[in-house]
Amino acid sequence: MATQLTARKHGSAPPRRRRSVLARHDAMAGLLFVLPCLVLFLVFRFGPAVAGGVLGFFDYTIGGTAEWKGLDNFRRLWEDPVFWSALRVTLVYSLIAVPVTVAAALGMALLTRRAFRGVRFFRSVFFLPVITSLVLAGAIFRWLFSAEGPWTTMLGWIGLGGTPWLESSTMVIPALALVGVWSRFGYGMLILLAALQNVPRELEEAATVDGAGAWQRFRHVVLPQLRPALFFLAVIETTMSFQAFDAIYTMTGGGPAHASFTLVFDLYEQGFKYFDLGYAGAIGVALFIMTLVVALIQRLLLGRDK
C-alpha cells in the first residue's frame, strides 16, 4: 500500500501494473517475430489440410467445377476393396516399423548416453539417415534388396536365398519397414537422449545401493521417467509410418501385386493419376481419423500420467 501511495505521489505507475504492461509489450513483440512463420503455416500447411478435408464432400477434378456429393465419397470408400487392402498394408507396415524404430532409438540412446571417446561421432552417424534424402536412399536400398544385391547374396550364403524381398509379396513390407527404421531411429534417439539427461542419477545410485541390477534399474527407475518421451515418440513415429510414401514409391511403386500399396499411395494415385480429388480428399480424412484414433489409444496406454 505504501509503495502504491509513493508511486502515485511521484506520478509513476505501481510496480505490478508496470510489470503487466511490460509483459504485454513482450508478448506483442514475440507475436510479431513469429507472425511470418505462423502465416506460412496457416497458408501452406493448415490451409491445404482443411481444403483437402472439405474436398472429401465434393466431386472435383482439376479444372472442373466442384459438385456437392455429401457422404458419397465415403460410401464409395467403404465399398472399395482397394482401400481396405491399402489399409491392411499400412497397418502391417506400421506394426513392424513403429515398435522396431522405438526399440532401436531406445537402444542407441542408452548406448550413447554415457560420455566416452567418440560418442559425439557415433551420435552424428546414427542421426545422419534422418537428414538423408529418402528418394536417394530408396534407390540404394532397391539395389541392396535386388537379385544381384548384397542382401540377397548374403541370404544365399546361409541357405535362405530365393526370391528377392522386393519381389516377394510376403517380404516386401518387412524390407520397406527396415528402411523406415533406418531412416527414423536417429530422430528418436535424440529425443530419448534428451529425456535420459533429466533422469536423476541419485535414483539410479540409490537403486544400485539397494542391490538392483542393470535390468531392474532400467525397468523400475529409468523407464518410468521416459514414459512422456516414449509417448511422444510413439505418436510421431505412428504418424510418419501412416504417411510413408517416398521410399515405397522409389523402391516398389506399390508392388508387387499391390503388396506395398499403402493408403498414402492410394491417395496419391486417386489425386494425381486419376485426378479424382474428391475421393482423394475422402481417403485423407479417413487417414486423419485413423491416425487420431491410434494416437488416443497410445495416450491411454503410455501417456496417462502426463
Side-chain angles (χ1 to χ4, degrees):
M1 184 67 180
T3 304
Q4 293 179 354
L5 290 175
T6 304
R8 290 176 183 174
K9 181 178 180 180
H10 292 283
S12 60
R16 184 177 300 174
R17 182 180 176 185
R18 187 181 304 164
R19 286 196 298 268
S20 64
V21 171
L22 291 176
R24 285 199 297 269
H25 287 171
D26 291 342
M28 290 298 297
L31 181 60
L32 288 176
F33 277 111
V34 303
L35 188 59
C37 291
L38 180 61
V39 171
L40 289 175
F41 174 81
L42 292 175
V43 173
F44 295 103
R45 297 284 293 185
F46 185 74
V50 173
V54 172
L55 278 177
F57 299 92
F58 288 85
D59 181 11
Y60 176 71
T61 58
I62 296 178
T65 57
E67 181 182 352
W68 175 260
K69 287 292 184 179
L71 297 177
D72 287 354
N73 286 324
F74 297 95
R75 294 191 189 97
R76 175 184 168 190
L77 204 67
W78 182 264
E79 299 170 356
D80 188 358
V82 176
F83 168 78
W84 292 106
S85 174
L87 176 60
R88 179 187 61 80
V89 171
T90 301
L91 291 176
V92 172
Y93 175 88
S94 300
L95 287 173
I96 298 174
V98 174
V100 177
T101 301
V102 174
L106 180 59
M108 292 300 103
L110 292 172
L111 286 176
T112 57
R113 177 190 183 187
R114 307 296 182 185
F116 59 88
R117 189 173 183 179
V119 64
R120 294 183 178 179
F121 169 78
F122 287 107
R123 290 175 180 174
S124 301
V125 170
F126 293 150
F127 186 75
L128 190 61
V130 179
I131 59 175
T132 302
S133 169
L134 268 181
V135 175
L136 175 61
I140 296 174
F141 276 104
R142 183 175 60 187
W143 170 73
L144 289 175
F145 286 113
S146 66
E148 298 81 17
W151 183 256
T152 307
T153 303
M154 287 188 297
L155 289 179
W157 290 345
I158 59 177
L160 297 177
T163 305
W165 281 20
L166 297 183
E167 299 176 14
S168 169
S169 299
T170 304
M171 299 305 299
V172 65
I173 292 299
L176 293 171
L178 285 177
V179 177
V181 171
W182 172 84
S183 67
R184 293 291 306 170
F185 83 92
Y187 174 79
M189 179 194 71
L190 287 187
I191 297 296
L192 294 176
L193 267 175
L196 284 170
Q197 303 305 317
N198 294 324
V199 177
R201 294 290 178 88
E202 295 80 6
L203 294 178
E204 295 185 70
E205 293 172 357
T208 303
V209 172
D210 290 340
W215 169 249
Q216 291 175 318
R217 291 197 304 272
F218 170 74
R219 180 182 176 185
H220 298 290
V221 177
V222 176
L223 195 58
Q225 301 290 324
L226 294 181
R227 173 178 279 185
L230 288 172
F231 165 65
F232 170 79
L233 188 59
V235 172
I236 292 296
E237 293 303 327
T238 301
T239 303
M240 295 300 297
S241 67
F242 283 173
Q243 297 177 2
F245 177 76
D246 299 13
I248 297 175
Y249 181 83
T250 305
M251 295 175 65
T252 66
H258 277 203
S260 61
F261 195 80
T262 61
L263 280 178
V264 175
F265 215 100
D266 191 17
L267 188 154
Y268 164 78
E269 283 208 343
Q270 294 295 333
F272 297 98
K273 184 176 180 180
Y274 305 117
F275 300 107
D276 191 351
L277 297 181
Y279 190 54
I283 297 174
V285 172
L287 182 59
F288 169 76
I289 293 174
M290 184 177 69
T291 305
L292 182 62
V293 169
V294 173
L296 291 175
I297 294 173
Q298 291 170 331
R299 166 79 175 177
L300 292 175
L301 296 178
L302 296 175
R304 290 188 298 250
D305 300 336
K306 298 292 180 181

